[in-house]
Amino acid sequence: MPLNLPDGNMYKFITHTWNPVKGKCEHKCPYCYMCKEGRQIQTPIRLDTTEFRTDLKTNKFIFVGSGTDLFADNIPREWILRTLDYCYSFNNGLFDYSNNYLFQSKNPKRMIEFLEHPIFNESVACTTIETNRFYPEYMGNAPNVKERALAMQEISSRGIKTYVTIEPIMNFDLEEMIELIRMCNPIQVNIGANTNHGINLPEPSTDKILILIDELSKFTEVEKKSNLYRLL
C-alpha cells in the first residue's frame, strides 16, 4: 500500500501521513477537520491491519495518527505498540536511511508510557495547546491544557524532541499561555487558525497574536501556518 500525501492545512515539514488506527476520536473536539469532513462521525474505533502492508519508505517525515489520536485512553496498548514497532522496522534496516515520525496527541501523558520504545529516538512528540483558557463547548473530552503541558515537560526531560501546535488558536491570556508553551520546551511551535467555518471560535485579536509570536520567538522557532493569515 502507498503512503498518503498530506492534505488540508497540514504542516509544511510533513511529507506523508499514516493512519493504522481509524475511527471516531475519543476527544470529540467539534472543530476537528475529521469531524468537519464527516470522516469519523459514525465510525467505531478500529485497527486497520491492512495498513501494516504500507511501504513507509525512507527519508520521509511521517505524521502517524493524523486522523485520530493514537494515544487516546481508549486505544488498546497492543495497537500502539504494533504501530511503533512497524515504524521502527523501517528505521532499522541495512542502509543508513531512516524516517522521522511525528506523534501528536492531546493526551501526551499516555505517550509517556511508551518513551522507552527506540522509535522515539527518531521522532518528535507534539501536543495541541489552543489556549490557556477552558472552553468546554469547544475542547471536547481532551485532557486540560495544563495536564498536556506537564506531560510534555516530562517527555522533553527524557531527551525527546517536542513540538507544540496552537491550532485552532483561541483567545488566551498572554503570560499564562507563554508559560504553558515554555513548560513543553518545544523546538518548534506551529500556529494556525480555525478552518471549520461551521463553528465560531473565540479568537484573539491580530495584535495579541503578533505579541504572542514575538514572545515565543525569544525561546523557540515559530511557524505560522497559512490558515493563520486570516487573523493577521
Side-chain angles (χ1 to χ4, degrees):
M1 292 178 63
L3 274 170
N4 295 316
L5 293 171
D7 60 1
N9 295 287
M10 188 55 68
Y11 305 113
K12 291 180 181 178
F13 56 87
I14 290 299
T15 63
H16 296 84
T17 64
W18 183 53
N19 288 282
V21 176
K22 295 180 170 65
K24 187 175 183 179
C25 180
E26 181 181 59
H27 298 151
K28 300 179 183 177
C29 302
Y31 60 73
C32 176
Y33 83 101
M34 292 296 289
C35 294
K36 178 183 69 173
E37 297 177 10
R39 299 180 180 181
Q40 56 174 222
I41 301 245
Q42 301 298 331
T43 308
I45 201 75
R46 70 193 189 281
L47 182 69
D48 185 351
T49 56
T50 65
E51 289 288 348
F52 294 98
R53 298 197 294 268
T54 302
D55 182 1
L56 299 185
K57 304 182 182 297
T58 58
N59 290 332
K60 308 301 180 189
F61 204 138
I62 303 172
F63 188 165
V64 181
S66 63
T68 194
D69 196 324
L70 181 65
F71 297 93
D73 283 334
N74 68 330
I75 306 300
R77 178 179 175 83
E78 57 268 25
W79 294 7
I80 299 174
L81 285 173
R82 184 171 179 181
T83 299
L84 300 181
D85 287 346
Y86 195 76
C87 291
Y88 186 63
S89 70
F90 283 82
N91 283 22
N92 197 30
L94 296 175
F95 303 102
D96 189 23
Y97 301 106
S98 62
N99 292 318
N100 289 313
Y101 298 97
L102 175 73
F103 295 105
Q104 180 170 323
S105 176
K106 289 185 181 175
N107 190 29
K109 183 177 180 181
R110 180 104 192 270
M111 200 183 296
I112 293 172
E113 300 175 26
F114 300 91
L115 292 185
E116 296 301 320
H117 195 288
I119 194 59
F120 278 99
N121 294 324
E122 299 149 349
S123 303
V124 175
C126 180
T127 198
T128 303
I129 296 180
E130 315 96 312
T131 174
N132 68 290
R133 299 178 182 177
F134 180 51
Y135 293 112
E137 66 271 40
Y138 303 120
M139 300 174 80
N141 299 327
N144 69 67
V145 291
K146 181 65 177 291
E147 182 179 323
R148 299 179 215 173
L150 286 169
M152 293 298 286
Q153 186 177 52
E154 171 67 18
I155 292 169
S156 175
S157 74
R158 304 275 195 94
I160 309 300
K161 294 178 182 177
T162 57
Y163 284 9
V164 168
T165 290
I166 306 174
E167 185 184 15
I169 191 168
M170 290 189 255
N171 206 2
F172 57 86
D173 304 292
L174 184 63
E175 291 185 7
E176 291 85 348
M177 186 68 168
I178 293 170
E179 179 57 26
L180 281 176
I181 304 302
R182 193 187 297 274
M183 285 173 62
C184 301
N185 193 30
I187 60 175
Q188 185 178 113
V189 173
N190 305 279
I191 307 180
N194 177 39
T195 56
N196 188 340
H197 302 299
I199 296 178
N200 294 316
L201 298 181
E203 296 178 322
S205 67
T206 298
D207 287 346
K208 204 170 186 180
I209 294 171
L210 292 175
I211 293 171
L212 177 66
I213 291 172
D214 184 61
E215 291 299 315
L216 294 178
S217 298
K218 294 176 181 178
F219 61 87
T220 188
E221 178 183 350
V222 177
E223 288 289 331
K224 298 185 289 293
K225 296 186 71 173
S226 60
N227 55 22
L228 183 66
Y229 288 93
R230 175 177 63 81
L231 300 178
L232 297 180

